[in-house]
Amino acid sequence: MATSRQVSLVVRRFLWGQRNYSTGDIKTATTKVSRFAEIDARIEKALPPKIKALWNHPAGLKTIHFWAPSWKWCLVFAGMADYTRPAEKLSWRQSAALAATGIIWSRYSMVVVPKNWNLFSVNVFLALTGVMQLSRIFLYNKSLEKSKEDESPEPIMGPRIGDDKDDGVNFGPPVVTDPGEGFGPPGTGPPSTK
């Protein structure tokens, strides 16, 4: 029990760099400071007041809330680099995933505490990049359909139902004028409903 508590205290000290925290005796606890806390205090002392606010913000430079969205900008830049690729080489699934991720996490970044504007901005741009690529793919597919329609010859068809012209060639279903016609021998047909 004592060992697991000691380990958890060391891990907590290492992860959060708590000032004036030690796993040693109570008497020496106020004199020992973690290395992270020392470095943090030196940096904080050297910073101007406006940047110090960013440094100590809950989503500031010392937290994952800053660095995860900062690295996510690489996805936006990769999506923007795909603007130079031809539309036939783009993946609609990948573009849809980027757009959906951007839309979902943009909403989440406004709900989560602390409010993270870096996360919001990267996800808005990610959604825009994905939607732009999807529109390029959609327009490319429409142009393919149009070019196939232009290249295909007019289909050969016979007279349609209701044409008065009877040249002996009829590729459509037979034109039925009498409801009883075509159901067996002449004069027989479905039972009368009169």
Side-chain angles (χ1 to χ4, degrees), residues 105-118:
W105 287 98
S106 294
R107 171 70 180 122
Y108 173 77
S109 67
M110 292 292 98
V111 177
V112 71
V113 175
K115 201 168 277 196
N116 194 339
W117 292 103
N118 188 14

Side-chain angles (χ1 to χ4, degrees), residues 81-103:
D82 284 345
Y83 290 154
T84 59
R85 293 176 66 191
E88 67 264 11
K89 300 213 181 225
L90 295 175
S91 166
W92 71 268
R93 288 183 176 96
Q94 176 183 344
S95 300
L98 288 177
T101 300
I103 292 167

Side-chain angles (χ1 to χ4, degrees), residues 45-62:
K45 205 182 285 183
L47 292 174
K50 289 184 178 181
I51 297 178
K52 196 178 290 188
L54 174 65
W55 182 257
N56 290 321
H57 190 271
L61 296 169
K62 295 189 285 186

Side-chain angles (χ1 to χ4, degrees), residues 111-192:
V111 177
V112 71
V113 175
K115 201 168 277 196
N116 194 339
W117 292 103
N118 188 14
L119 183 62
F120 177 74
S121 62
V122 72
N123 284 306
V124 166
F125 278 94
L126 193 62
L128 290 174
T129 302
V131 168
M132 180 66 87
Q133 297 291 30
L134 284 173
S135 65
R136 286 184 60 211
I137 294 167
F138 176 75
L139 292 174
Y140 173 74
N141 288 337
K142 283 294 182 187
S143 70
L144 278 182
E145 289 174 8
K146 184 164 176 45
S147 65
K148 285 182 181 177
E149 287 174 3
D150 292 345
E151 292 175 6
S152 64
E154 189 67 30
I156 302 171
M157 298 184 74
R160 297 188 179 158
I161 298 174
D163 283 347
D164 293 337
K165 187 171 79 169
D166 186 18
D167 54 2
V169 179
N170 189 352
F171 294 108
V175 178
V176 178
T177 54
D178 179 18
E181 185 180 319
F183 287 100
T188 64
S192 176

